[in-house]
Amino acid sequence: MKITILNGNPLKSQFDTYLRKVQGALEQEGHQVINLALRDLPLKYCTGCWGCWVKTPGVCSTDNASQELDRAVINADFVLWAAPLKMGYPSELLKKAMDKHLPLIHPYMEVDQQEAHHLRRYERSPRLGLVVEKEPSTDEADLRLVTQLCQRTALNFKTRLFFSLTTETNAAELATRIMDENASALPLPARPSPTHGVAVPAPSSLTLFNGSPRGPHGNSRIFLEQVAKGFGGKYQLHHLVNVKDTEQHVRAFSAAEAAWVAFPLYTDSMPALVKHFFEALEPLVSKGGNPPLGFIVQSGFPEALHSRYVEQYLEKLAARLGSPYLGTIVKGNGEGVRIMPPQMTRSLFENLQSLGACLSRGEALNTEILTKTARPERFPAISGPVFKMILRAPFAHGYFDKMLIKNGVYEKRFDQPFKLPS
């Protein structure tokens, strides 16, 4: 069996020793193991350029290190995601690698589990497992949330998560779990309900953090600015893509009267650069007096439910920081907002402004407006077959087809560049 271990440990520690023991146990049984220390790869953040979909289909065109990574992943029988937990989620380093799995799937959509998901690019995908090292503050809720988020990521990569363990598991036992080809995947998590934020006294200003990897050119900035417009007061806007300014971002968060973080859904959670920011906030956990905190999550999927899993994590993150949780605004089909004509965004912008006005009045976010903004939450059972037929029609993929044709690679759209010869 071919096994790839993605070691997301940012610093050398006993975690590496643990994974070497797992590797040794697997190799002793005759398995081929690639143990990638991600800190030794010059991985770049995914920028959301979609080059891997519309310029060089199946390959990240800007990051050679991610090509080595994806080749080792897609040709494995089993991939182990491994990392210490940082602020209740696996390390930024592992998240950066997971974001770089995007070339392994196709931009086109299909209906799976009565939900919109990406088409597979390769005939087969490796089984997946997760092992994490707990933080001192880790509780059962943290482990449950991480497991659910990784299950969703696995589903979108056309595979399943077969276990979610901690380093308290004996290395030999973990190796046995990896080798068990007859094991059943973990059952998919139940669909969570929206969270609810609290009301706080009306702040005089907002501090906004744009987590789009496209920086000021992404959709998240637009969402934040519409909330700020409804709020009507002063605001500061920071772009988290400027990671060199992270210390400044942390100071701005610490000094904020109320903070909002917006980002696009990336492999079913936050982009790695947003995780970088969350980890940088760790020194503030014990500080106390952190500002009220709200979030916006927008995605390219039509249904809001895809973002509900990371929403649960965000609520827990606010609690970890001791920040009053203002709630999370969720919107599907957000990718095209930046290029839509005004008549197509009018209703959305009015809703976002209304939610901003709630803040200015010292009110909790209006649940009715949150629901309207999020629609559709999920496809009704009766519409699933209809959506499936629509996705089979040629026009359904026109958005990406136009870009593929423009770049002269339409005929290569189904390429499998990392497939090894039989």
Side-chain angles (χ1 to χ4, degrees):
M1 195 161 72
K2 295 179 180 178
I3 299 157
T4 295
I5 299 173
L6 299 184
N7 177 4
N9 188 17
L11 299 171
K12 290 183 179 180
S13 70
Q14 287 300 311
F15 187 78
D16 302 291
T17 304
Y18 176 82
L19 292 181
R20 284 196 294 271
K21 289 180 180 179
V22 175
Q23 178 180 358
L26 292 167
E27 290 177 336
Q28 191 172 359
E29 296 298 321
H31 300 286
Q32 301 176 44
V33 181
I34 296 175
N35 188 348
L36 282 179
L38 298 176
R39 63 177 177 267
D40 295 334
L41 291 179
L43 285 174
K44 301 176 182 177
Y45 290 111
C46 176
T47 62
C49 72
W50 287 355
C52 63
W53 283 348
V54 300
K55 292 182 179 178
T56 53
V59 179
C60 179
S61 57
T62 62
D63 190 351
N64 291 337
S66 74
Q67 296 177 25
E68 175 186 348
L69 168 76
D70 285 342
R71 184 176 289 106
V73 166
I74 199 60
N75 290 298
D77 299 298
F78 193 99
V79 170
L80 180 66
W81 287 331
L85 293 179
K86 302 284 186 181
M87 294 294 279
Y89 188 87
S91 70
E92 168 211 352
L93 188 56
L94 182 61
K95 187 64 179 66
K96 187 184 289 187
M98 293 165 78
D99 289 351
K100 288 307 185 85
H101 291 352
L102 204 63
L104 302 178
I105 55 176
H106 207 279
Y108 296 164
M109 294 281 191
E110 66 173 347
V111 175
D112 186 12
Q113 309 294 320
Q114 293 188 337
E115 302 170 4
H117 288 279
H118 291 282
L119 282 176
R120 65 169 62 248
R121 183 175 291 278
Y122 293 85
E123 292 88 355
R124 55 169 296 282
S125 300
R127 295 181 296 128
L128 291 169
L130 174 70
V131 63
V132 297
E133 183 178 63
K134 293 162 65 174
E135 300 171 276
S137 62
T138 299
D139 58 24
E140 288 303 313
D142 291 320
L143 297 176
R144 173 179 54 80
L145 291 170
V146 167
T147 299
Q148 291 181 354
L149 284 165
C150 288
Q151 285 180 281
R152 294 293 298 183
T153 304
L155 180 61
N156 249 319
F157 284 119
K158 321 313 295 182
T159 182
R160 293 293 177 84
L161 192 71
F162 281 76
F163 59 75
S164 178
L165 303 170
T166 73
T167 51
E168 294 170 345
T169 305
N170 181 275
E173 181 184 342
L174 177 57
T176 299
R177 296 286 294 271
I178 293 171
M179 291 185 289
D180 185 359
E181 298 185 62
N182 296 316
S184 298
L186 296 178
L188 292 174
R191 292 169 173 167
S193 300
T195 60
H196 298 286
V198 300
V200 297
S204 62
S205 66
L206 299 179
T207 303
L208 311 177
F209 297 93
N210 170 23
S212 171
R214 297 171 182 164
H217 307 294
N219 296 292
S220 298
R221 173 190 61 81
I222 299 172
F223 280 68
L224 284 169
E225 289 180 343
Q226 291 300 318
V227 170
K229 184 176 181 179
F231 172 71
K234 297 183 298 182
Y235 71 89
Q236 301 175 8
L237 177 61
H238 301 269
H239 301 292
L240 298 182
V241 71
N242 299 323
V243 292
K244 66 182 185 303
D245 296 330
T246 297
E247 289 185 10
Q248 177 186 333
H249 297 156
V250 173
R251 289 195 297 270
F253 177 86
S254 182
E257 287 190 62
W260 280 85
V261 181
F263 57 84
L265 192 70
Y266 252 54
T267 57
D268 298 272
S269 56
M270 74 296 294
L273 67 88
V274 175
K275 184 60 178 17
H276 172 83
F277 174 62
F278 290 164
E279 291 184 18
L281 296 177
E282 186 173 14
L284 302 183
V285 168
S286 58
K287 167 180 169 288
N290 287 318
L293 179 58
F295 302 90
I296 302 173
V297 184
Q298 51 91 11
S299 80
F301 292 113
E303 321 102 299
L305 71 91
H306 291 272
S307 299
R308 295 300 183 195
Y309 299 87
V310 72
E311 179 183 353
Q312 310 292 310
Y313 166 77
L314 297 173
E315 182 182 36
K316 186 75 177 349
L317 175 70
R320 177 174 263 104
L321 286 163
S323 291
Y325 176 63
L326 298 174
T328 298
I329 302 169
V330 167
K331 179 69 178 79
N333 262 342
E335 168 54 32
V337 167
R338 60 197 169 97
I339 58 174
M340 288 179 181
Q343 62 268 25
M344 293 185 66
T345 57
R346 184 176 296 114
S347 176
L348 169 62
F349 288 0
E350 287 175 353
N351 288 337
L352 293 172
Q353 291 169 25
S354 295
L355 293 170
C358 292
L359 300 173
S360 68
R361 296 190 296 266
E363 300 172 358
L365 297 184
N366 184 291
T367 54
E368 183 178 344
I369 299 174
L370 285 171
T371 299
K372 285 167 56 179
T373 304
R375 287 176 184 157
E377 180 69 25
R378 59 177 60 92
F379 293 127
I382 193 171
S383 68
V386 175
F387 187 65
K388 186 176 293 188
M389 287 190 294
I390 291 173
L391 288 178
R392 288 175 180 166
F395 67 82
H397 306 306
Y399 183 67
F400 288 104
D401 284 347
K402 287 179 182 177
M403 289 186 279
L404 287 158
I405 292 168
K406 178 182 177 181
N407 294 321
V409 292
Y410 180 76
E411 300 302 325
K412 297 182 178 181
R413 65 195 184 282
F414 292 112
D415 275 8
Q416 299 174 340
F418 300 126
K419 184 177 181 179
L420 296 178
S422 300

